[in-house]
Amino acid sequence: MLPLIALFIAAFAFGTTEFVIAGVLPQVADGLGVSIPTAGYLVSGYAGGIAIGGPLLTLATKTLSRKALLLGLAAAFTIGQAACALAPDFASMLLLRIAVAVAHGAYFGVAMVVAVGLVRQDQRGMAVALILSGLTVSNIIGVPAGTAIGNIWGWRATFWIMCALGVVSIAAIAALLPRTTGSSSRRVSLGTEVRALARQQVWTSLILMLMLMIGQFSLFTYITPTLLEVTGLDEGLVPWVLLLNGVGATIGVFLGGRLADWKLMPSLITMLFMQAVTLAAIYAVSPYPVPMVVAITIWGGLSFAIGTPIQTRILTWTADASNLASSLIPAGFNVGIALAASLGAAMLNAGYGYRSLPVVGAMAMLVAVAVALASHIWEWRRNATPPLPAAAE
């Protein structure tokens, strides 16, 4: 359990630095002498670094010891936070954020593989859930704390605190992670890695991931104006609603881990359908504050409960060639987030209004149900079994 806690701490650190920028964006823009929309590129640039740089760095470092690589990525994070705190201008800040994002993308891919390698086969879902919970807990604790620190002492102080958190993560990985963790993948060629992606369980899971992000972020990207204009909430209540959504997400992560270890595909199909129903309910109750808050909490829980078995399935079916596939998990999520936000913007620009956004999400979830059901039936008819892990070196 302690090695997984070490991986969680670094996941929490990476998650906090990705999302806390939104909380201090006006201060960062003012401090670097740019407009707030321009400062917004610090968010999209980070997502791009994860999606593109993460898989490339993972492949480039696949022959390294997993513990050494994780320590290196945590060190890159720590140095990056200190550099961001000292950034003299916007261009420097953007480049530094992208560099940290590349380490972020590689970290989550490698950490997931290491985590499932540290536990029994029937505990893989919970291992994935613990790493993924670093992102949800960062939204509940890290982002509000980082934002408060930025409001009191300035945005540069936020990054110095993140640097200190990076030091803690380095110490935890060095002390708690076994030296023999994981395997270098010298025996696994790039061709083998690519062929592993061709397994239907892998590419269908990536489709499910994309649909999940459309179901989540086509609405979540615009959740604040939706709550203000459609539900009619007071602006001061919005952070509390988002907090409840984050609490639901954290509970959902571990629920999804339990279900992934129990009956992965039946649980996944059921939750995808439940999410479609929940998004339809959000459409129906969006003008009514109390039902809307309840629905948003359930929606957040289901989103992360679904994400855990999807990632567990990818890791299970690429156990013999996991580097490329594992690095595509954070990349896929960020591509999906960008696509969902763009789809939501297109809907709004076409005049459909904020209330239409959960309808788009519900349709995406129904597509996911169909894909997951077809994949499960295919797998069941052929009595397919996952590959064995690649030999350690």
Side-chain angles (χ1 to χ4, degrees), residues 145-189:
T147 302
I149 289 167
N151 290 336
I152 297 171
W153 291 298
W155 65 269
R156 294 185 188 273
T158 299
F159 284 96
W160 282 119
I161 294 297
M162 295 304 305
C163 178
L165 185 58
V167 173
V168 173
S169 69
I170 292 172
I173 292 172
L176 302 178
L177 210 61
R179 183 169 297 181
T180 56
T181 289
S183 65
S184 61
S185 300
R186 295 184 182 91
R187 297 191 184 121
V188 182
S189 67

Side-chain angles (χ1 to χ4, degrees), residues 259-327:
L259 293 174
D261 289 332
W262 178 54
K263 290 187 181 293
L264 193 152
M265 285 307 292
S267 300
L268 179 57
I269 293 166
T270 302
M271 288 190 293
L272 288 169
F273 181 74
M274 289 173 60
Q275 187 71 313
V277 173
T278 301
L279 283 160
I282 288 176
Y283 169 79
V285 305
S286 55
Y288 310 104
V290 174
M292 180 64 162
V293 171
V294 173
I296 284 177
T297 304
I298 296 171
W299 170 57
L302 279 171
S303 290
F304 279 83
I306 292 167
T308 303
I310 290 176
Q311 293 179 77
T312 303
R313 192 175 193 231
I314 292 173
L315 293 170
T316 299
W317 283 94
T318 59
D320 57 337
S322 58
N323 287 290
L324 181 57
S326 65
S327 68

Side-chain angles (χ1 to χ4, degrees), residues 43-358:
V43 177
S44 55
Y46 198 97
I50 293 174
I52 299 171
L56 294 176
L57 180 60
T58 301
L59 288 177
T61 56
K62 68 178 185 176
T63 59
L64 295 179
S65 155
R66 300 297 89 181
K67 180 172 182 177
L69 178 56
L70 289 170
L71 281 171
L73 294 172
F77 168 87
T78 305
I79 295 168
Q81 302 315 297
C84 285
L86 298 170
D89 52 43
F90 175 75
S92 301
M93 184 71 164
L94 179 59
L95 290 175
L96 289 166
R97 288 277 295 173
I98 292 172
V100 171
V102 172
H104 177 134
Y107 175 82
F108 275 90
V110 174
M112 292 288 187
V113 175
V114 170
V116 298
L118 288 169
V119 299
R120 300 192 311 266
Q121 185 172 349
D122 62 346
Q123 296 175 322
R124 286 175 174 176
M126 284 305 295
V128 171
L130 186 60
I131 306 306
L132 190 59
S133 70
L135 295 177
T136 61
V137 175
S138 73
N139 277 287
I140 296 174
I141 299 174
V143 172
T147 302
I149 289 167
N151 290 336
I152 297 171
W153 291 298
W155 65 269
R156 294 185 188 273
T158 299
F159 284 96
W160 282 119
I161 294 297
M162 295 304 305
C163 178
L165 185 58
V167 173
V168 173
S169 69
I170 292 172
I173 292 172
L176 302 178
L177 210 61
R179 183 169 297 181
T180 56
T181 289
S183 65
S184 61
S185 300
R186 295 184 182 91
R187 297 191 184 121
V188 182
S189 67
L190 178 59
T192 303
E193 298 271 2
V194 173
R195 283 192 294 274
L197 298 180
R199 293 172 184 148
Q200 72 88 2
Q201 293 88 352
V202 179
W203 60 261
T204 53
S205 294
L206 291 172
I207 292 173
L208 297 181
M209 184 186 296
L210 181 62
M211 292 300 105
L212 176 63
M213 290 299 94
I214 292 175
Q216 174 75 357
F217 280 91
S218 56
L219 172 60
F220 191 79
T221 304
Y222 307 98
I223 190 64
T224 296
T226 300
L227 291 171
L228 294 176
E229 297 185 23
V230 179
T231 311
L233 286 183
D234 182 84
E235 188 173 8
L237 294 176
V238 172
W240 295 103
V241 177
L242 297 180
L243 175 63
L244 287 174
N245 181 269
V247 171
T250 303
I251 296 171
V253 162
F254 291 103
L255 175 63
R258 290 289 185 190
L259 293 174
D261 289 332
W262 178 54
K263 290 187 181 293
L264 193 152
M265 285 307 292
S267 300
L268 179 57
I269 293 166
T270 302
M271 288 190 293
L272 288 169
F273 181 74
M274 289 173 60
Q275 187 71 313
V277 173
T278 301
L279 283 160
I282 288 176
Y283 169 79
V285 305
S286 55
Y288 310 104
V290 174
M292 180 64 162
V293 171
V294 173
I296 284 177
T297 304
I298 296 171
W299 170 57
L302 279 171
S303 290
F304 279 83
I306 292 167
T308 303
I310 290 176
Q311 293 179 77
T312 303
R313 192 175 193 231
I314 292 173
L315 293 170
T316 299
W317 283 94
T318 59
D320 57 337
S322 58
N323 287 290
L324 181 57
S326 65
S327 68
L328 287 178
I329 291 174
F333 274 120
N334 280 273
V335 169
I337 290 170
L339 180 61
S342 299
L343 180 60
M347 294 288 293
L348 296 174
N349 290 333
Y352 286 97
Y354 294 113
R355 198 177 179 188
S356 68
L357 299 177

